Amino acid sequence: MTSRLRRRTGFEIELMAPARVSRRTLATDLAGRCGGSVRPVWHSDSEPSLVPGLGRFLHLTQGFEVRRPDGSLLCTLVDDITLMAGLDPKAPPQPGWFRVLTDDGRLLRLLARHSDPASTIGTVLTEPAQLWGSRVQQHGDVYRLNDAGDVTIALAAPMGGERERPCEIITPPLTTGHAERLEELLGPARELGFTVPYEAAVHLHVDGGPFRAPHALANLVRLFSYQRESLRAVLRTNPACRRLAPLPEPLVTAVKGTPTYAELRTAAAEGELTKYFDVNLTQLLTDTPIRDTVEIRILPGAIEAGPIIDQAALVELLLDRCTYPEPIPDGDDVETLLELAAEALAGRD
């Protein structure tokens, strides 16, 4: 029997489309099944740069928002650059697939605001060009926008290498019927031939509010540091999953005592905390969260709702235990981890 979740939870599920199928295909299929609509959206990310002296490129890629007939969000489908196994890097771009690249986060946000993800590669930079009083230049199949000093602001380039195939399904926060809502998305994906990628993971987002209390935040750090290997064993974390790491040492050291919220923020800054750890705590440690959630990043990939919900239910119990005033104990073993979950379950009863 599939477990039930009590917390409001959002899911990010990484899938791979078969050859000659794309995340646009799935978006269109899902909208057709519910009588809804598809709207192109931008998805922002970064990638290593091959340009000397430039560490990375920031880019916008094409995603798709699927809405029900009443306008409510069903899901969003976007690229995930960590999914690479099985793709042909030499595959030519498919018609209509491109990306916009720049090297500054402020420029990226401005480009996203003033360009249309439903446009074509040849017109996507037209509106941003008006902001700089400039013209878009074409160089082969690449379009370039320079400022008045002839410094490049952005490029629009075809997206090859089968990058239309990776598909991360992002749900809105779900409050009831979690398994049924996920299966509404994953069933059609299976029918279209989508599979679980080699590097896949499932991410959970839960409301961050309860974990802004210093004792709860400290317990989160203790859980994902003291019990790291046990968590990964019980949840069967995918060893091929990218962008996972143990929490930084200054933050782990801070929770050996009873730190204040300010002390936890200082320790996170010293440890250069980012979202790319086993658990993403960044939104708890800022006064201006973009998405006020705790993100658990170590669940393995899956394409059926049952296993996802069962693992999420265990994580939910452990998160409940983090809100208790008693510290999560040190000692990395599965028995201790399951005892913590059992303690939270008993507390519910």
Side-chain angles (χ1 to χ4, degrees):
M1 178 181 294
T2 300
S3 306
R4 293 181 61 189
L5 296 180
R6 297 189 179 188
R7 288 182 180 270
R8 198 167 94 120
T9 307
F11 298 82
E12 297 173 355
I13 304 170
E14 297 169 350
L15 302 179
M16 184 68 74
R20 296 177 294 279
V21 176
S22 71
R23 52 187 175 273
R24 181 189 283 124
T25 310
L26 179 57
T28 301
D29 183 271
L30 291 172
R33 289 174 187 251
C34 72
S37 60
V38 177
R39 184 174 74 92
V41 295
W42 287 127
H43 175 63
S44 61
D45 210 328
S46 63
E47 62 186 273
S49 169
L50 299 178
V51 178
L54 181 62
R56 63 174 184 162
F57 270 124
L58 306 176
H59 65 228
L60 300 173
T61 54
Q62 296 153 293
F64 303 94
E65 196 177 77
V66 183
R67 292 193 173 271
R68 300 181 186 275
D70 63 2
S72 61
L73 181 64
L74 177 64
C75 67
T76 306
L77 310 179
V78 300
D79 190 9
D80 187 316
I81 64 167
T82 67
L83 306 180
M84 298 186 290
L87 299 179
D88 180 3
K90 297 181 180 179
Q94 294 297 308
W97 288 92
F98 63 92
R99 57 186 174 168
V100 175
L101 302 101
T102 187
D103 61 357
D104 186 291
R106 293 168 297 181
L107 291 178
L108 190 77
R109 291 186 288 273
L110 194 63
L111 289 162
R113 184 177 180 85
H114 291 277
S115 60
D116 184 358
S119 61
T120 66
I121 186 172
T123 61
V124 68
L125 296 177
T126 301
E127 182 178 342
Q130 297 177 14
L131 297 174
W132 279 274
S134 184
R135 298 180 62 182
V136 179
Q137 306 169 21
Q138 183 176 358
H139 300 271
D141 56 2
V142 175
Y143 293 79
R144 184 168 67 190
L145 172 61
N146 290 359
D147 65 11
D150 208 32
V151 176
T152 299
I153 295 167
L155 302 172
M159 190 168 67
E162 298 189 305
R163 289 310 311 175
E164 73 280 358
R165 289 178 56 198
C167 178
E168 182 176 49
I169 299 177
I170 303 174
T171 75
L174 306 180
T175 54
T176 60
H178 298 77
E180 294 78 10
R181 294 285 297 275
L182 289 188
E183 198 57 29
E184 184 181 11
L185 307 173
L186 298 178
R190 293 194 301 269
E191 291 179 21
L192 288 170
F194 281 70
T195 56
V196 178
Y198 173 73
E199 311 95 335
V202 170
H203 299 167
L204 307 178
H205 284 264
V206 300
D207 288 339
F211 303 99
R212 287 181 172 270
H215 75 276
L217 180 51
N219 267 339
L220 268 180
V221 175
R222 296 183 185 111
L223 176 65
F224 283 90
S225 55
Y226 295 171
Q227 300 290 333
R228 183 173 193 253
E229 295 306 319
S230 297
L231 275 169
R232 295 166 74 88
V234 169
L235 295 176
R236 300 189 298 278
T237 301
N238 180 1
C241 181
R242 304 167 188 266
R243 291 178 165 178
L244 294 180
L247 289 170
E249 189 58 36
L251 193 55
V252 177
T253 300
V255 301
K256 292 179 180 178
T258 54
T260 65
Y261 180 74
E263 289 169 339
L264 289 168
R265 286 182 67 162
T266 299
E270 290 175 357
E272 299 180 346
L273 185 73
T274 70
K275 66 176 288 185
Y276 300 119
F277 288 83
D278 291 356
V279 59
N280 174 10
L281 303 176
T282 58
Q283 300 302 295
L284 301 182
L285 295 161
T286 175
D287 295 327
T288 56
I290 298 172
R291 186 178 184 181
D292 192 8
T293 66
V294 176
E295 179 190 13
I296 292 84
R297 299 170 53 82
I298 57 174
L299 274 66
I303 197 169
E304 294 184 352
I308 296 173
I309 298 301
D310 288 343
Q311 292 186 322
L314 173 60
V315 170
E316 185 177 83
L317 287 172
L318 294 169
L319 294 179
D320 286 352
R321 175 58 181 81
C322 287
T323 64
Y324 290 17
E326 297 80 13
I328 296 289
D330 201 348
D332 195 348
D333 66 88
V334 170
E335 183 177 354
T336 298
L337 187 71
L338 297 181
E339 287 175 354
L340 291 171
E343 183 181 353
L345 182 61
R348 286 183 175 181
D349 295 338

